[in-house]
Amino acid sequence: MKPIHVLGLIPFIGMLGGLPFANKATPLVLGLPFLLFWIVLWVILTSVVMAIVNFLDPSNREEEV
Amino acid sequence: MSAMLIMLAFLIAAIFLAIQSGWGKKMNLEQWAVGGRGFGTVFVFLLLAGEFFTTFTFLGGSGMIYQVGSPAYYVLMYLTLAYVFSYYLLPPIWRYAKEHRIVSISDFFRSKYESSLLGMLVAVVGMVGSVPIVVLQLKGLGIIVSETSYGMISPTLAMWIGTIVVTVYVMISGIHGAARTAIIKDITIVMIVVFLGIYLPYHYYDGFKPMFEAIQATKPGHLTLPDKGQSLSWVISTVLLTVVGFYMQPGLFAAALSAKSVKVFRRNTIIMPLYTLMLVFVFLVGYTAILQVPGLKGAEGDLALLRLSIQTFDPWFIGVIGGVGLLTALVPTSVFLLTIGTLFAKNIYQPLAKSSSEEHIAKVAKVTVPVVALISLYFVINGGNALYALLLMSFSLITQLFPALLCSLLPNNNPVNKYGAAWGILCGVATVAYLTISKTTIGTLFPDLPQAVKDLNTGFIALFVNLLITFVVSALTRNSVAKKETISSPNY
């Protein structure tokens, strides 16, 4: 387990760990109930995290296509 | 009438693309089942995405929002997290599979644990877990076609046509057909779903905000997770279970093997989560339907999207929705059928018939396809409670493969041997069956526990039994395995 792989835990902690606090209908954010907004936000953040992981992971450079 | 013509055009386009994709390729088993391991980021993306964007998400996603509301979000969460997990899980599987020319999940077990019997067991679990998915897709297909043809085509006739089409094209072009059809399917479904998800709330409510305010006023509690039942702890535990079980589904496992390099999965982890956001638009359609097509009870909730569309749009556009819906059923069905065919031919038929000719096995795999398709069709038309029970447990059954698979990926010294793996899977599967059929939950077993614990997904019980048996049996049989290996080692 390389240190960079620990980054993969962030989406789990953020999305699921935040649920108890995000489980409410209001305030509506961008027209969405807060709970749905929270999840959508984390889906987007997950994509960002994985882009960073892809960029930093040394094994992506080692291997030929 | 125009609706039916448009649907027919989609069907013909799908058949043409599928057949054309197989032209000029020598269809041996590896080519047929995993595309000769030559698919790049785009095709693998489409195949993996195609697997999740099925009729179930199209109809079921909006239906679940309509019926129960927020617990439906779990789908969005597990898909996103399953892709994150795949970054770490899939590369070692893929490398091993390539080196040993593995084309299915049961092949993988057979090779890793050096046991054809274990391979057979995994094949049976995989098939039992996959048939309900085919059944579900065919059922969805029947609903879509009969609704969007305004009742002119009966669900049964629609399912017959769908079954024949998918069987023919799976037999001719294997996974190439699915990958090719997935292109038009995904482009059109994205356009349709985004359009519906934005247009419908604006048409009926002038925006998302007024819509949610109206729902909150009429059905308070629909926009948050309930305190018990499908509560917070149900959602979190279900997401975690589904994440680990996700790639154990034989169809997804095979789709992953079709990648041409490990970079394909890694790159996909960036786009895939964003793609799941399509589901949000499906949810928005479900939310619009709550107050606009009230009164759909129970399973009828799955009709929410179609009923709302029929009440809103002209027939030609309903035809487009129907055509796209048709494709969302055909693509995953074809991948699952071909996976079941491969599992049966390679891991059940081959060891029993002691046949070694690759060509013969490929033929058996292809012949299995229409047989399984007909069995599934029979289930859809005549299936009663048995089918429902099977559907409920199919995913938990498949998840039982996870512990042994994960242990086999450890770089050295797998603590689990073939006996442990086999008994663990068997006991896990038996537990799932028992819990599902007797409707046992953690709540009924231990009524005094706090609500949050009672709502945990029962899949955890089965997984716990599985793990326990796996390690205990492995530890008990360690010596006998070691002895045998020294005797038989010259054979390897």
Side-chain angles (χ1 to χ4, degrees):
Chain A
M1 191 105 174
K2 295 167 211 149
I4 180 72
H5 288 172
V6 178
L7 277 178
L9 286 173
I10 294 176
F12 284 85
I13 296 166
M15 193 182 280
L16 297 178
L19 277 188
F21 311 101
N23 187 19
K24 48 190 178 189
T26 50
L28 296 178
V29 185
L30 305 171
L32 302 176
F34 191 78
L35 178 60
L36 183 55
F37 163 76
W38 175 261
I39 295 167
V40 168
L41 176 73
W42 270 101
V43 172
I44 296 168
L45 288 178
T46 300
S47 174
V48 174
V49 169
M50 292 322 285
I52 296 170
V53 171
N54 264 277
F55 179 73
L56 294 179
D57 194 343
S59 51
N60 271 336
R61 266 163 267 150
E62 285 160 15
E63 281 158 29
E64 71 291 4
V65 177
Chain B
M1 204 57 212
S2 59
M4 277 170 64
L5 287 177
I6 290 172
M7 250 190 286
L8 192 68
F10 269 91
L11 192 64
I12 292 172
I15 299 174
F16 174 77
L17 274 177
I19 292 175
Q20 186 242 2
S21 69
W23 278 345
K25 289 196 181 72
K26 202 171 145 275
M27 278 292 164
N28 59 19
L29 193 63
E30 203 169 0
Q31 191 64 254
W32 187 72
V34 293
R37 268 177 259 278
F39 289 165
T41 314
V42 174
F43 270 136
V44 173
F45 170 76
L46 286 172
L47 277 175
L48 290 178
E51 296 282 329
F52 95 75
F53 233 124
T54 64
T55 50
F56 189 62
T57 9
F58 197 47
L59 302 182
S62 49
M64 198 169 170
I65 287 288
Y66 182 92
Q67 286 162 11
V68 298
S70 309
Y73 300 160
Y74 95 93
V75 186
L76 193 58
M77 291 189 269
Y78 92 69
L79 285 169
T80 306
L81 296 177
Y83 298 133
V84 174
F85 190 48
S86 75
Y87 187 95
Y88 309 99
L89 180 70
L90 293 182
I93 293 179
W94 184 89
R95 276 191 217 107
Y96 184 84
K98 181 173 186 178
E99 200 178 311
H100 296 82
R101 297 193 65 216
I102 277 158
V103 294
S104 72
I105 185 161
S106 57
D107 256 8
F108 189 87
F109 275 87
R110 181 184 51 72
S111 172
K112 272 279 188 185
Y113 286 100
E114 294 171 353
S115 159
S116 332
L117 265 178
L118 181 60
M120 250 187 243
L121 173 67
V122 173
V124 172
V125 174
M127 287 169 72
V128 173
S130 303
V131 170
I133 298 172
V134 175
V135 171
L136 201 67
Q137 297 302 322
L138 288 177
K139 201 169 175 183
L141 181 111
I143 294 176
I144 290 176
V145 175
S146 83
E147 285 281 324
T148 57
S149 67
Y150 297 88
M152 283 166 81
I153 304 174
S154 73
T156 315
L157 179 64
M159 287 186 282
W160 270 104
I161 299 173
T163 308
I164 293 169
V165 169
V166 78
T167 308
V168 168
Y169 90 63
V170 171
M171 288 175 78
I172 294 175
S173 52
I175 202 162
H176 290 279
R180 215 44 94 72
T181 322
I183 300 179
I184 43 170
K185 184 209 102 184
D186 276 64
I187 294 173
T188 43
I189 198 167
V190 167
M191 290 186 338
I192 294 275
V193 163
V194 171
F195 170 75
L196 291 178
I198 294 174
Y199 179 82
L200 290 171
Y202 273 87
H203 179 71
Y204 285 102
Y205 293 97
D206 283 324
F208 302 145
K209 200 165 174 243
M211 175 173 79
F212 284 114
E213 278 161 356
I215 295 170
Q216 178 75 350
T218 358
K219 294 186 131 194
H222 203 78
L223 301 178
T224 49
L225 298 170
D227 292 333
K228 55 183 195 174
Q230 292 180 322
S231 64
L232 199 63
S233 72
W234 179 84
V235 168
I236 294 177
S237 60
T238 306
V239 166
L240 289 176
L241 270 180
T242 320
V243 165
V244 298
F246 194 61
Y247 284 99
M248 301 303 110
Q249 296 176 78
L252 283 174
F253 193 90
L257 296 186
S258 70
K260 74 176 176 212
S261 80
V262 290
K263 271 190 193 160
V264 170
F265 311 120
R266 297 211 180 107
R267 281 199 205 112
N268 266 326
T269 57
I270 307 174
I271 345 164
M272 283 294 209
L274 296 180
Y275 197 66
T276 63
L277 288 179
M278 287 303 121
L279 272 175
V280 175
F281 295 96
V282 176
F283 292 165
L284 289 169
V285 176
Y287 280 124
T288 314
I290 291 176
L291 300 176
Q292 297 305 326
V293 275
L296 300 175
K297 295 266 179 293
E300 282 181 337
D302 291 347
L303 298 175
L305 183 143
L306 295 173
R307 288 282 163 85
L308 183 63
S309 304
I310 289 171
Q311 134 182 353
T312 317
F313 300 109
D314 288 341
W316 71 267
F317 190 67
I318 299 303
V320 176
I321 295 178
V324 176
L326 198 75
L327 299 184
T328 62
L330 291 182
V331 174
T333 309
S334 63
V335 176
F336 273 91
L337 281 177
L338 95 104
T339 313
I340 296 171
T342 321
L343 286 180
F344 177 77
K346 195 106 200 273
N347 301 97
I348 296 179
Y349 178 84
Q350 192 174 25
L352 288 179
K354 307 236 181 324
S355 160
S356 54
S357 145
E358 185 86 352
E359 232 168 278
H360 181 64
I361 295 302
K363 210 170 276 169
V364 174
K366 285 175 197 173
V367 175
T368 314
V369 170
V371 177
V372 176
L374 284 175
I375 294 174
S376 309
L377 193 58
Y378 174 84
F379 266 125
V380 192
I381 296 170
N382 300 309
N385 293 332
L387 173 68
Y388 186 66
L390 210 57
L391 270 176
L392 273 181
M393 61 173 113
S394 68
F395 198 85
S396 314
L397 287 179
I398 300 279
T399 310
Q400 301 308 318
L401 303 177
F402 180 71
L405 184 118
L406 189 69
C407 290
S408 80
L409 292 175
L410 294 173
N412 37 27
N413 280 336
N414 182 1
V416 173
N417 61 34
K418 58 181 177 181
Y419 302 108
W423 282 108
I425 292 170
L426 273 175
C427 294
V429 163
T431 313
V432 169
Y434 172 76
L435 293 177
T436 313
I437 292 165
S438 68
K439 295 203 176 71
T440 308
T441 64
I442 297 178
T444 62
L445 285 175
F446 310 103
D448 296 332
L449 289 174
Q451 190 65 40
V453 183
K454 285 202 271 185
D455 292 338
L456 287 176
N457 192 309
T458 42
F460 273 111
I461 304 179
L463 214 51
F464 177 73
V465 172
N466 179 342
L467 272 172
L468 192 73
I469 303 281
T470 304
F471 284 107
V472 169
V473 174
S474 296
L476 291 177
T477 53
R478 183 155 299 145
N479 293 332
S480 73
V481 173
K483 239 180 265 164
K484 254 191 217 153
E485 264 165 15
T486 46
I487 300 167
S488 63
S489 53
N491 297 337
Y492 285 105

